[in-house]
Amino acid sequence: MTLEKLQRFPIKRKRCPIPGHIPPSSHPFTFHMSKLISKMQAIIILSLVAVAFAGVPWIPEPRDQAWLDRHQGFVDNSINNGHNITVLFYGDSITDAWRNTGLPTFNQHYAPLGAANYGIGGDRTEHVLWRILNGEITNLNPKICVLKIGTNNLGANTDSDIARGISAIVDTLRSQLPDMKLLLLGVLPRNNAANTNRTENVSRMISILDNGSSVRFLNMRDSFYAGDGVFYTDLYTADLLHLSALGYVTWQSTMDSLFQEMYNSTQFYF
């Protein structure tokens, strides 16, 4: 066979294994790095999914059927009893618990005025906004609304986005109930110093919504938090988020001066 023909059929050399050599694909380091990369990719994908499905604080959003049932109960109450409601509470589980943990204080100070509690546990700003836009304030003309919302948004939204969501609620209430005054409360301190720094940041942002008349802002922080991670623990339950019975007494006493001023005032400026 000529040299030319041999060149057409190159010799295939087999790689001889080197004693102790481990192919790269099965090397322990490569194997563990591959698993680590896969985990990191999974975390990134889950994070992206969480962001995609996280509510937007200023875009109205409903929840599950049990929640819709409670919402319908509020709608029915407004339709059937709206003429008797002069005080309206809106918020999440902390507001919701006026009906149990805070009930003695509620019955003493607010029920005689004709108060309705439209708080639902777990609500974020987008949920309250949806409820307001879907019949809960139909047939209402209260003197004052107490709004405290935003703490449940901390896990999914930025501080500025939470403030934007709260602002959307304020704007909606003002446009749909123009004769009502709105007492806007800051987000209460919670859990630890880091979370409380965030609640305080949100509260600073929404404080500018106070116009001196139809909307007033009150930050109750100092009644519940001493600073530097020190809470007045007797005002909270063990989670340092929800309030004890004494916490509701403190809420009422802290808010009372401004509440009474707004409730009894005959002056009104937009």
Side-chain angles (χ1 to χ4, degrees), residues 194-206:
N195 279 342
T196 299
N197 286 340
R198 291 194 62 195
T199 63
E200 189 62 14
N201 193 35
V202 174
S203 295
R204 275 195 301 270
M205 292 178 184
I206 62 175

Side-chain angles (χ1 to χ4, degrees), residues 103-122:
L103 189 59
T105 302
F106 189 88
N107 284 342
Q108 180 181 352
H109 295 278
Y110 303 121
L113 302 177
N117 179 0
Y118 285 2
I120 296 183

Side-chain angles (χ1 to χ4, degrees), residues 8 23 28 33 43 83-84 105 135 146 161 173-174 217 222 240:
R8 293 180 187 173
M33 283 300 296
I43 290 170
H83 61 285
N84 293 320
T105 302
V146 178
D161 282 353
L173 286 171
R174 290 190 65 200
F217 172 78
D222 292 343
L240 289 181

Side-chain angles (χ1 to χ4, degrees), residues 125-162:
T125 55
E126 59 268 32
H127 304 136
V128 170
L129 189 58
W130 190 94
R131 294 198 279 124
I132 291 168
L133 291 170
N134 284 273
E136 287 190 1
I137 60 173
T138 299
N139 198 39
L140 293 187
N141 189 28
K143 286 187 175 183
I144 186 172
C145 174
V146 178
L147 173 64
K148 194 186 76 58
I149 192 67
T151 197
N152 290 322
N153 290 84
L154 289 179
N157 306 114
T158 65
D159 297 351
S160 58
D161 282 353
I162 297 169

Side-chain angles (χ1 to χ4, degrees), residues 200-269:
E200 189 62 14
N201 193 35
V202 174
S203 295
R204 275 195 301 270
M205 292 178 184
I206 62 175
S207 66
I208 64 171
L209 299 173
D210 187 324
N211 63 14
S213 178
S214 59
V215 180
R216 299 297 306 276
F217 172 78
L218 177 65
N219 189 350
M220 302 192 295
R221 172 189 184 273
D222 292 343
S223 294
F224 291 85
Y225 184 68
D228 297 324
V230 179
F231 292 79
Y232 298 126
T233 54
D234 56 339
L235 306 182
Y236 288 89
T237 60
D239 61 6
L240 289 181
L241 169 61
H242 298 94
L243 301 183
S244 65
L246 185 57
Y248 285 95
V249 173
T250 302
W251 178 348
Q252 184 277 326
S253 62
T254 303
M255 185 176 75
D256 190 58
S257 177
L258 183 55
F259 178 89
Q260 295 296 338
E261 175 189 328
M262 297 178 72
Y263 183 83
N264 294 310
S265 174
T266 57
Q267 294 183 332
F268 194 88
Y269 306 99

